[in-house]
Amino acid sequence: MNTDAMYRRLKELSDEYDSISQKLMSETVFSNPNEVARLSRQQARLAGSKEAWEALRGLDQRIQEARILKTDEDGEMREMAEEELAECEPEREALLEKIQRLLIPQDPDDDHDVIMEIRGGAGGDEGNIFAGDLYRMYVKYAEGNGWKINVLEASESEAGGFSQIIFEIHGQNVYKALKFESGAHRVQRVPRTESQGRIQTSTATVLCQPIAEDTDIEIDPKDLTIETHRASGAGGQHINKTDSAVRIVHVPTGITVNCQEGRSQIENRETAMRLIRSRVYEEYRRQREEAEGRERRAKIGTGDRSEKIRTYNYPQNRVTDHRIGFTVTQLDRIMEGRLQDVVDALQQDEERRKLETVE
């Protein structure tokens, strides 16, 4: 992006910040909590651009005044001008570099909480055990960041781990950190169930979606089909005795969720509604991006369950993310939740890709 385009875009964002400030002071908006929340989040995302615009204007003013002083007949004034320019010009160059990165299009969902779903895949019991290992890894990563975990559904496997577990993570910029975790995770190790000591390859799939808030999407109740039925499978005393399980279908998209792990129909219905809202929101976003011809152009991978994204090789203590060719020989640390090196590498690659598309 050239300097003139950078100035224009930065001023637009600064003006947008000011416009939101005016809206937030209006009586119409102030009386609508959802609109206040939506505009406040939008303004928070623009705060950095507003600050950068003010800083750039201040530096440009100082540089302009110093250049005028350089033509002064007074030698002492010219010396002061030289000192001012020696300080301001490098500062301005550093600020422009920061602004270029600041102007990279941001994912509006980055500040959202997430719903994650992990399923045991290929490898039978070992796939379920690995699903449990991944869940533990994400829990430890979340705890290290001060985030909160809330399990919505969990189907434990007899051999250990989970055939499926669905949970929420609440905190700051959770989706920004975890949005690239969706896909098939492959593990290579000697299974606990293998007596011959042979290395086996198994998989677990991860789905990470932003939690849709009330201001993100409005779902017409007439578009939902809601059914209750008796829960099946392992569970507490309520299993198979009451119609506590809830199935919800969003008719326009065909998205279906089924919740049965809660202890009551009310609890399962609330969980199902949270899941259906987030999945419909994600589907509409995907459709919108495809219609605009972007098709998640700046996103690493597709986020599909079938896409093999990462291999965890226990014999070599190695983790490889295949999408960006990133390898680290610290699998033991990563499985203890120290994921930040992988997260940073994925975010840097996303930033690089977006920079390439900025004009």
Side-chain angles (χ1 to χ4, degrees):
M1 181 180 288
N2 61 48
T3 305
D4 289 342
M6 195 181 299
Y7 267 76
R8 286 195 301 272
R9 182 58 182 150
L10 198 61
K11 185 177 186 307
E12 287 172 3
L13 295 174
S14 177
D15 290 345
E16 188 178 349
Y17 180 96
D18 293 338
S19 174
I20 292 173
S21 294
Q22 293 297 318
K23 289 177 182 177
L24 285 170
M25 289 188 290
S26 74
E27 194 171 324
T28 305
V29 171
F30 190 74
S31 60
N32 185 338
N34 284 341
E35 186 66 3
V36 169
R38 185 186 71 82
L39 288 172
S40 296
R41 287 201 308 273
Q42 188 176 346
Q43 188 180 54
R45 287 194 287 263
L46 294 168
S49 298
K50 174 69 175 177
E51 292 170 6
W53 173 244
E54 298 295 340
L56 184 59
R57 289 175 65 193
L59 280 171
D60 283 347
Q61 181 68 26
R62 288 171 61 187
I63 289 171
Q64 183 180 2
E65 291 172 354
R67 285 174 177 168
I68 293 172
L69 281 178
K70 274 187 68 174
T71 63
D72 198 281
E73 294 182 358
D74 189 322
E76 188 173 335
M77 296 296 288
R78 290 198 304 273
E79 185 177 342
M80 286 176 57
E82 291 285 359
E83 290 176 357
E84 180 77 347
L85 288 172
E87 178 183 337
C88 290
E89 288 178 339
E91 189 175 339
R92 181 176 180 272
E93 288 301 313
L95 181 58
L96 287 175
E97 184 176 339
K98 176 184 174 182
I99 289 170
Q100 181 163 343
R101 297 187 179 280
L102 195 64
L103 295 180
I104 296 172
Q106 298 298 302
D107 187 333
D109 291 331
D110 275 353
D111 59 357
H112 281 46
D113 299 328
V114 304
I115 291 178
M116 296 191 78
E117 178 180 348
I118 306 175
R119 293 183 186 176
D125 287 341
E126 176 63 11
N128 293 337
I129 292 169
F130 182 51
D133 293 339
L134 289 177
Y135 169 68
R136 180 175 175 274
M137 177 185 76
Y138 292 126
V139 167
K140 285 186 170 291
Y141 180 66
E143 290 173 347
N145 283 286
W147 300 339
K148 303 299 182 185
I149 301 283
N150 177 38
V151 176
L152 301 178
E153 291 265 306
S155 298
E156 295 184 8
S157 169
E158 290 184 7
F162 302 94
S163 59
Q164 174 182 272
I165 184 166
I166 304 174
F167 56 101
E168 297 173 327
I169 305 180
H170 299 270
Q172 186 174 7
N173 291 327
V174 181
Y175 186 69
K176 181 178 182 180
L178 296 176
K179 61 185 173 182
F180 300 123
E181 295 304 301
S182 292
H185 295 238
R186 182 171 63 177
V187 63
Q188 295 173 329
R189 65 184 177 188
V190 178
R192 301 177 199 170
T193 55
E194 174 62 63
S195 60
Q196 300 301 316
R198 293 175 296 186
I199 294 173
Q200 178 178 315
T201 298
S202 307
T203 63
T205 61
V206 175
L207 182 64
C208 178
Q209 295 180 318
I211 294 179
E213 301 174 10
D214 292 340
T215 54
D216 293 323
I217 184 172
E218 185 174 345
I219 296 179
D220 190 336
K222 291 184 290 188
D223 288 339
L224 300 177
T225 299
I226 303 177
E227 303 172 347
T228 60
H229 61 95
R230 292 194 177 184
S232 59
Q237 295 298 315
H238 63 291
I239 294 291
N240 285 325
K241 292 186 178 180
T242 62
D243 289 343
S244 60
V246 175
R247 180 184 296 109
I248 300 180
V249 180
H250 182 252
V251 177
T253 61
I255 292 173
T256 301
V257 299
N258 186 71
C259 293
Q260 66 175 34
E261 297 296 321
R263 301 198 62 82
S264 69
Q265 186 184 118
I266 293 174
E267 188 177 331
N268 284 324
R269 185 186 179 104
E270 289 175 351
T271 299
M273 283 301 300
R274 289 208 294 277
L275 288 171
I276 203 81
R277 177 182 293 276
S278 292
R279 291 181 184 177
V280 170
Y281 171 68
E282 179 74 0
E283 174 61 17
Y284 280 159
R285 176 182 171 174
R286 183 191 65 79
Q287 291 178 6
R288 185 173 65 251
E289 290 183 343
E290 287 187 357
E292 293 171 357
R294 288 187 288 152
E295 299 182 19
R296 302 186 181 233
R297 189 176 300 152
K299 188 166 182 178
I300 303 165
T302 64
D304 291 338
R305 281 188 186 278
S306 60
E307 182 185 8
K308 290 185 176 64
I309 65 167
R310 195 174 298 151
T311 295
Y312 303 72
N313 186 298
Y314 274 72
Q316 299 179 23
N317 197 37
R318 185 184 69 223
V319 175
T320 299
D321 194 291
H322 305 292
R323 296 164 297 181
I324 58 174
F326 177 81
T327 296
V328 58
T329 52
Q330 295 179 330
L331 181 146
D332 50 343
R333 295 178 69 254
I334 285 173
M335 298 310 293
E336 287 299 316
R338 300 177 186 178
L339 269 176
Q340 200 56 50
D341 287 347
V342 180
V343 170
D344 288 344
L346 288 162
Q347 290 181 341
Q348 288 165 12
D349 193 80
E350 179 193 32
E351 184 178 279
R352 178 186 62 78
R353 291 168 185 265
K354 286 184 174 180
L355 274 171
E356 291 173 355
T357 66
V358 174
E359 296 178 358

